[in-house]
Amino acid sequence: MLRSTLFYGAVVALGIGIGFKVYLLRPSPLPPMDFDRWWGDGPQPEDEDASIRPFVIVFNESMVEDLKSRLRNRRPFTPPLYGAQSQYGMNTKYLDELLTYWSDKYNFTERAERLNKFSHYKTTIQGLDIHYIHVKPEGKGKKVLPLLMLHGWPSSSKEFDKVIPMLTTPKDGYEFIFEVIAADLPGFGFSQGTRKPGLSPLQVGTIMSNLMRRLGHNMYYIQAGDWGSQVATHMTTFIPHEILGFHTNMPVSSRPISNVKYIIGSLFPNLIMDEKYINRIYPIRKLFDYVLRESGYFHLQATKPDTIGVALSDSPAGLAAYTLEKIGVCSNRHQLNTPHGGIENIDRDDLLDTVTIVWANECIVTSMRIYAEAFAHADVFMMHNIPTVVPTAAINFKHEVVYQPDWILRDKFLNLVRSTTHDFGGHFAAMQTPKALADDVFESVKEIISFRLNY
C-alpha cells in the first residue's frame, strides 16, 4: 500500500512538474501592433510630413550662460561622512571639482563641433520629430550593411560617436562595412518626447521600424544596449523578417522560465555556466544585495518620474550628480571606495556631453518616463514571453548591470550564434570600450551571415 501511494505520488509530482514546465515555456500570443499610432500633439493629420531635414547641434549662448550661472551660484554641498567615499552616493567634494570643470573648462562650442562631424538629421515619425546620425562608409569594394544603433538612459546617439568611425571604416578580414543610423529614442537627446501615455519600449520599436523604412531599409542589423536593447529585442520579436541580425551588449531574457532557471541555477551553478563567471550572479544573496543597493533610481523612475524630474530639470548640479553617479556605478560597481565612484572609467568630456545634451533639451523627464511605461502595459510583458528566431550575438562586459549565461539567454534568443564574455568594461560600452565593441560587432555579423547561409 505504501509503495503504491509513493508511486502514485511520484507520478502526480512528475505530472505537475511537466505541466509547470510546459506552462512556463508556452509563449504568449503576439499582441496587435499599430505602426501608425499617433504620438504627436492633437489629432493625426491626413498628410504626415515625411521630409528628412538636416540638423546641426548648437549649444546656444543663452543656454550656456544660464547653465554656467546656475553652476557658479550653487549652494554649498553637504560634505561626505568621515571615511566615506562614494558608498552613500555622489561624493560631493568630487562633484564640486566636476562642476567647476563643467562651468569653467568644458568647451561647449568645440564639443558641439565635434558632434557635428557626423551628418545629423530629423524626420517626423508618428507625430514625433526623431533625431538620428547617419553615416555612410567611404570605403569601396565592400558590401554595405545597414546598422541601426540604439542607446539607453540617460544617453543619446552621442554615446556612439567613438565607435561609429570604427564601424564605417574598412576592416581587414571582413568583406562588409556598415552604414550607421544612430537614433535618439523618443524623449531622449534631440528627439521629441510625447505628451500621450503609452510610449513603451515596445511602441518605440514601431517608430524605429518606420524610421528605417523611411530611409529605404526594409531589412537591417541592430546594435543596442540598455533600453535600446529592450526596444531592439521587441523588434526582433514582432518584425523578425526585418531584422537580419541583432548584436547587444545588454542581453536579457525576461521570460518566466528564465526567472525559474535563475533559482535552479543557484543550486547547481557549475552545471550551467563557466565557473569563472559564477560570481557574476551567484550567490543569489549577493546579487540581491547589489540590486537593493543600486536600484532605487529604477523604482523611482518606474513609478513617479515626474516628481524627481522637477528637481533635476531645475538644477544642473543635481542633474549631474544624479545621472553621473549611476553611470559611474554601471562602469565599475566595485569602485565605491573611491571619490569618483567609477566615473573616471569614461572620459570626462564624454560624460559632460551626455549631461549637457539632457540639460539643453530639457529631456530628463521625458527620458525617465520610459521606465514607467515599460511596466504599465500588458502587451510589453506578452512580448517578453515570445522567443525570437532572429540570429543574435551577445557581448557581456564585466560590470554590466545584469549577467545571464547562455543557458538562460536561449530562452528568448533561440538562435544565439555568438556569446562573448570579457573581464573588463561596463554598461556604457560604446564610450568606455569602443574598440572592443566595434570588433565584436564585425565578428558577430560575420557569424550571423554564415549562420543565415547555412540555416
Side-chain angles (χ1 to χ4, degrees):
M1 183 67 178
L2 179 60
R3 288 183 178 180
S4 177
T5 301
L6 291 174
F7 173 76
Y8 286 114
V11 169
V12 170
L14 180 61
I16 293 173
I18 293 174
F20 186 55
K21 182 178 180 180
V22 169
Y23 170 76
L24 290 175
L25 288 173
R26 183 181 60 188
S28 301
L30 189 69
M33 299 296 299
D34 183 358
F35 286 76
D36 297 315
R37 187 169 175 179
W38 187 254
W39 297 105
D41 290 340
Q44 184 173 359
E46 291 185 9
D47 296 316
E48 182 180 353
D49 178 10
S51 64
I52 295 175
R53 310 176 298 276
F55 177 76
V56 177
I57 293 175
V58 177
F59 296 140
N60 67 71
E61 186 175 339
S62 61
M63 182 279 292
V64 172
E65 287 306 311
D66 175 69
L67 171 59
K68 288 183 176 182
S69 175
R70 290 170 184 257
L71 290 172
R72 291 167 180 166
N73 291 296
R74 61 186 182 269
R75 298 173 70 180
F77 299 134
T78 303
L81 293 172
Y82 292 125
Q85 296 295 337
S86 300
Q87 293 89 342
Y88 285 77
M90 175 61 77
N91 183 298
T92 49
K93 289 183 178 179
Y94 180 84
L95 178 63
D96 256 327
E97 298 174 8
L98 189 64
L99 297 182
T100 298
Y101 178 89
W102 194 12
S103 64
D104 297 347
K105 296 182 179 180
Y106 176 83
N107 192 315
F108 291 84
T109 301
E110 286 186 3
R111 296 308 291 183
E113 290 175 351
R114 184 176 182 276
L115 293 171
N116 285 322
K117 69 182 179 181
F118 303 117
S119 297
H120 295 255
Y121 301 91
K122 281 191 175 185
T123 188
T124 304
I125 305 288
Q126 295 173 245
L128 300 178
D129 279 349
I130 302 300
H131 164 258
Y132 61 96
I133 297 170
H134 194 172
V135 181
K136 296 182 179 181
E138 297 181 359
K140 297 181 179 180
K142 302 275 188 179
K143 184 176 182 181
V144 178
L145 306 178
L147 177 67
L148 173 65
M149 302 191 76
L150 300 175
H151 63 87
W153 184 87
S155 200
S156 66
S157 55
K158 176 271 168 312
E159 185 175 332
F160 304 116
D161 65 347
K162 289 183 177 179
V163 78
I164 288 174
M166 300 177 186
L167 295 171
T168 54
T169 300
K171 187 175 178 63
D172 291 342
Y174 298 91
E175 298 178 352
F176 57 85
I177 197 168
F178 296 102
E179 172 186 344
V180 173
I181 298 96
D184 288 355
L185 301 180
F188 289 73
F190 298 92
S191 284
Q192 183 182 1
T194 184
R195 296 182 63 187
K196 297 177 178 178
L199 189 55
S200 68
L202 174 58
Q203 300 299 330
V204 172
T206 67
I207 293 176
M208 293 300 131
S209 172
N210 284 330
L211 171 64
M212 293 302 284
R213 286 179 175 273
R214 180 164 298 173
L215 298 180
H217 299 301
N218 296 325
M219 299 181 74
Y220 46 91
Y221 293 85
I222 305 181
Q223 197 291 316
D226 197 81
W227 284 111
S229 186
Q230 282 295 298
V231 171
T233 297
H234 293 320
M235 293 172 71
T236 67
T237 307
F238 70 80
I239 47 170
H241 54 283
E242 289 188 18
I243 315 303
L244 293 168
F246 175 36
H247 180 279
T248 175
N249 53 292
M250 190 180 175
V252 175
S253 172
S254 299
R255 299 192 66 195
I257 185 64
S258 300
N259 297 327
V260 173
K261 283 185 174 182
Y262 255 124
I263 305 301
I264 295 174
S266 67
L267 303 175
F268 312 101
N270 290 296
L271 299 179
I272 61 148
M273 58 189 299
D274 192 318
E275 185 174 357
K276 63 182 177 180
Y277 302 127
I278 289 176
N279 64 357
R280 296 198 181 187
I281 57 174
Y282 298 122
I284 286 182
R285 178 179 177 180
K286 178 182 175 182
L287 177 65
F288 283 176
D289 286 345
Y290 166 71
V291 171
L292 286 173
R293 187 187 76 207
E294 301 298 344
S295 65
Y297 85 101
F298 193 107
H299 182 77
L300 184 63
Q301 293 175 197
T303 53
K304 300 293 180 63
D306 288 24
T307 303
I308 186 63
V310 173
L312 303 182
S313 297
D314 193 57
S315 168
L319 179 67
Y322 187 83
T323 55
L324 296 184
E325 185 263 333
K326 298 318 302 177
I327 292 177
V329 168
C330 294
S331 300
N332 190 330
R333 69 182 70 172
H334 300 306
Q335 292 186 334
L336 296 183
N337 60 340
T338 68
H340 64 80
I343 294 174
E344 292 186 357
N345 293 292
I346 298 176
D347 181 83
R348 178 174 289 189
D349 282 333
D350 284 329
L351 294 171
L352 291 177
D353 286 347
T354 298
V355 185
T356 300
I357 289 171
V358 175
W359 178 262
N361 292 292
E362 301 181 44
C363 62
I364 188 61
V365 174
T366 54
S367 67
M368 291 192 300
R369 284 174 178 163
I370 196 171
Y371 287 77
E373 299 292 4
F375 292 95
H377 308 283
D379 56 355
V380 175
F381 292 93
M382 292 170 66
M383 198 65 71
H384 278 310
N385 195 33
I386 304 172
T388 175
V389 297
V390 171
T392 300
I395 183 169
N396 300 278
F397 288 100
K398 183 174 183 179
H399 298 290
E400 183 51 80
V401 176
V402 62
Y403 174 81
Q404 291 182 338
D406 295 351
W407 179 58
I408 291 178
L409 291 178
R410 287 195 173 92
D411 295 335
K412 176 67 179 182
F413 307 104
L414 300 182
N415 294 314
L416 186 66
V417 302
R418 177 178 168 86
S419 181
T420 308
T421 303
H422 289 299
D423 290 325
F424 60 84
H427 184 68
F428 296 89
M431 289 196 295
Q432 187 176 359
T433 52
K435 186 179 184 303
L437 181 66
D439 288 348
D440 200 76
V441 171
F442 269 102
E443 188 59 30
S444 295
V445 170
K446 183 178 180 179
E447 294 191 25
I448 289 171
I449 292 173
S450 177
F451 172 83
R452 282 191 169 275
L453 288 174
N454 296 292
Y455 186 66

